[in-house]
């Protein structure tokens, strides 16, 4: 396969490499992801993360394994193992559905590699379209609050919600970005803060519990979040903490926008109740670990509840900004989850 490089994925010497998103921003380590077991481990550990990026990394690995001579039946098993690596983000399943079609072809090696590269190129374009459509909704002088990380690290392109924010900033419309640190794994504090700094976008980092008082003080004009899965009725699964922001936004009469590519839509999923929510290790809540070291503050036998995602109901969402256009609540109420 040709050499390829995005912010956090590389194909070189016919092998897949990932930028370790657990070590950022203190360390920039490129790690090998040469086997299914290695990539699944990176996905579990969130060294590869962000719904679009997970799907792309799995597709690229499958194509590279095919090129290295893995037989068709083993590739089919590898595909199913990768599909199960992250239950909530549907981009992985959607991307692998396309790879499965390529795998069924007689010339499956070429078909898989063309499809994987196509998915990467498409993702870049999807991000650009989202950024253009979303920035039209940003009002001049905005203070925007965002959650988790939805930037170039999480996609092959400029990102989703963060792509909108960066584009609107370049248009002179963003005064400040409030970055939720995003407990328990600090994707906001580590990744979004770093990306915004690199992009030169002014931001202030806050702990998740500070958002309410900022809204009460009229310091937030809009909230922009990404999505791991959008159900057919518009309910959105995203990083834990997103739902509380949407409730707060509703109370304070602040628009709450979701930005995502169409690969995040799950037409087979009727509503948020049907979205599987990944439960994660207690150690993520009883302490914290990263390239900065690790610490445990809770009692070793503390009982923990640690869902990785929550569901924001459709009624709390002001608009869904997709690469295909903006879906309005009126359209969703009319039963059509399609851009106007
Ligand atoms: O657990 P993470 O860090 O992968 O969670 C990421 C999010 O919740 C993002 O909002 C979502 O995947 C969209 S990324 C463009």
């Amino acid at each position: 396969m040709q050499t390829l490089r995005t912010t956090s994925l590389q194909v070189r010497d016919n092998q897949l490499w990932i930028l370790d998103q657990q070590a950022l921003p203190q360390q920039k380590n490129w790690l090998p992801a040469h086997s299914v077991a290695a990539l699944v481990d990176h996905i579990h550990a969130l060294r590869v993360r962000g719904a679009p990026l997970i799907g792309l990394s799995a597709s690229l690995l499958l194509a590279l394994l095919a090129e290295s001579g893995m037989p068709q039946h083993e590739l089919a098993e590898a595909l199913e193992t990768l599909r199960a690596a992250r239950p909530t983000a549907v981009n992985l399943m959607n991307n692998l559905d396309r790879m499965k079609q390529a795998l069924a072809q007689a010339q499956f090696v070429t078909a898989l590699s063309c499809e994987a590269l196509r998915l990467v190129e498409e993702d870049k374009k999807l991000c650009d379209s989202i950024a253009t459509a979303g920035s039209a909704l940003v009002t001049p002088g905005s203070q925007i609050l965002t959650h988790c990380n939805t930037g170039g690290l999480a996609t092959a392109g400029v990102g989703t919600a963060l792509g909108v924010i960066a584009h609107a900033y370049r248009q002179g419309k963003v005064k400040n970005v409030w970055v939720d640190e995003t407990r328990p794994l600090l994707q906001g504090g580590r990744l979004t803060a770093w990306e915004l700094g690199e992009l030169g976008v002014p931001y202030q980092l806050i702990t998740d519990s500070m958002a309410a008082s900022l809204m009460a003080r009229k310091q937030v004009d809009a909230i922009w979040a990404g999505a791991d899965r959008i159900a057919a009725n518009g309910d959105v699964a995203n990083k834990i903490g997103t739902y509380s922001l949407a409730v707060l936004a509703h109370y304070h009469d602040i628009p709450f926008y979701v930005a995502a590519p169409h690969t995040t839509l799950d037409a087979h999923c009727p509503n948020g109740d049907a979205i599987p929510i990944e439960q994660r290790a207690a150690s993520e809540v009883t302490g914290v670990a990263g390239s900065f070291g690790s610490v445990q503050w809770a009692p070793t036998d503390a009982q923990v509840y640690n869902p990785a995602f929550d569901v924001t109901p459709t009624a709390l969402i002001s608009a869904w900004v997709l690469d295909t256009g903006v879906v309005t609540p009126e359209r969703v109420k009319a039963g059509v989850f399609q851009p106007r």
Side-chain angles (χ1 to χ4, degrees):
M1 187 183 288
Q2 68 195 57
T3 301
L4 177 150
R5 182 162 184 163
T6 72
T7 307
S8 46
L9 289 179
Q10 271 187 41
V11 174
R12 61 181 149 85
D13 304 327
N14 292 315
Q15 303 275 23
L16 181 65
W17 299 80
I18 59 117
L19 181 60
D20 180 358
Q21 296 201 40
Q22 273 290 25
L24 283 173
Q26 283 83 10
Q27 292 168 19
K28 294 174 188 69
N29 300 331
W30 286 91
L31 303 178
H34 300 349
S35 67
V36 171
L39 184 59
V40 168
D41 187 47
H42 290 324
I43 292 171
H44 287 166
L46 273 86
R47 290 185 284 267
V48 173
R49 51 149 299 282
L53 193 82
I54 292 169
L56 299 176
S57 63
S59 303
L60 285 168
L61 178 65
L62 211 61
L64 290 163
L65 291 173
E67 286 184 357
S68 74
M70 187 180 269
Q72 211 166 1
H73 72 276
E74 280 184 34
L75 288 165
E77 280 169 26
L79 189 145
E80 295 311 324
T81 306
L82 289 165
R83 187 194 289 278
R86 193 119 199 237
T88 306
V90 81
N91 310 58
L92 175 64
M93 293 88 176
N94 284 341
N95 284 186
L96 290 177
D97 283 346
R98 278 178 54 178
M99 293 299 282
K100 197 170 181 172
Q101 284 179 11
L103 181 59
Q105 293 181 25
Q107 304 294 321
F108 65 90
V109 178
T110 314
L112 285 169
S113 119
C114 289
E115 193 64 354
L117 292 171
R118 200 174 295 127
L119 284 166
V120 172
E121 287 313 308
E122 279 178 20
D123 191 69
K124 291 181 190 168
K125 293 195 182 107
L126 303 180
C127 289
D128 289 340
S129 303
I130 293 166
T132 308
S135 58
L137 298 173
V138 177
T139 49
S142 279
Q143 300 218 65
I144 295 177
L145 194 150
T146 191
H147 191 64
C148 199
N149 174 267
T150 58
L153 287 166
T155 66
V158 296
T160 58
L162 212 61
V164 170
I165 293 169
H167 194 68
Y169 172 72
R170 284 191 292 274
Q171 293 174 328
K173 296 201 279 192
V174 177
K175 190 164 102 188
N176 182 42
V177 183
W178 299 108
V179 177
D180 245 7
E181 70 175 354
T182 318
R183 274 288 290 154
L185 289 171
L186 308 169
Q187 291 93 327
R190 294 184 301 102
L191 307 176
T192 300
W194 179 68
E195 278 202 68
L196 287 175
E198 294 284 301
L199 292 165
V201 179
Y203 70 88
Q204 290 178 71
L205 186 57
I206 56 170
T207 67
D208 299 357
S209 53
M210 293 170 188
S213 74
L214 278 176
M215 292 187 212
R217 289 162 167 260
K218 304 208 179 306
Q219 298 295 304
V220 180
D221 299 302
I223 295 167
W224 282 87
D228 281 76
R229 191 184 297 224
I230 304 178
N233 73 338
D235 289 351
V236 168
N238 193 51
K239 179 54 52 191
I240 190 78
T242 306
Y243 172 47
S244 23
L245 288 174
V247 173
L248 288 170
H250 187 69
Y251 180 78
H252 292 97
D253 202 18
I254 294 166
F256 180 93
Y257 298 115
V258 171
H262 71 269
T263 47
T264 309
L265 299 178
D266 186 356
H268 304 296
C269 180
N271 55 51
D273 291 343
I275 301 177
I277 301 293
E278 179 187 359
Q279 295 287 328
R280 293 186 58 87
S283 55
E284 294 178 351
V285 178
T286 54
V288 71
S291 56
F292 43 80
S294 67
V295 63
Q296 162 140 354
W297 49 69
T300 42
D301 60 352
Q303 297 300 299
V304 169
Y305 169 61
N306 185 17
F309 302 95
D310 55 26
V311 174
T312 299
T314 197
L316 297 180
I317 298 170
S318 309
W320 297 254
V321 178
L322 310 177
D323 51 290
T324 45
V326 177
V327 181
T328 58
E330 294 70 34
R331 298 279 288 170
V332 176
K333 273 184 212 131
V336 196
F337 197 86
Q338 293 289 336
R340 55 177 170 244

